[in-house]
Amino acid sequence: MMKGYKSYKSIQASLKTASSQENYKTIYEQIRSIKSDPFLHKDVINTLEHLWGYFKGKAHPGDKKQFFILLNRCRQQPVISYRYFPEDVRYTLAFISYLLETYPDPYLLQSTLFLPQDEWHTLPDLPPSKIRS
């Protein structure tokens, strides 16, 4: 999502219809290619706002205040794209990790954003009925 919303939606649609090893291999290659693209700042901000949505109903008011302080600092970044997160984005992601620990969300816990870098590409075992060779 941080590399471009259009790419995110394309992969999401592909995952919904994938039914063969070849389909999953194509999706894997798409993701691998996108991972080498720079982060688009507007999409990073959109993603941070999206992530907040998982916590807004349960977060303590102090956590909400802190998140928006950090988000506003991120919004002030003058760059359009970058290969590595600027410091303010890293701080905000660290705070979201804290929120995830404090207010666990099973869906977000599976996000590649919160996995070690070398684990993004591991696939769960699928029952044979879900994969056609």
Side-chain angles (χ1 to χ4, degrees), residues 28 40 74 93 100 109-110 119:
Y28 172 85
L40 303 174
C74 289
L93 286 170
L100 189 55
L109 287 167
Q110 296 178 42
E119 291 187 25

Side-chain angles (χ1 to χ4, degrees), residues 26-41:
T26 300
I27 294 166
Y28 172 85
E29 293 300 329
Q30 283 179 293
I31 293 170
R32 205 169 102 196
S33 173
I34 291 167
K35 285 185 94 47
S36 67
D37 292 344
F39 294 99
L40 303 174
H41 188 64

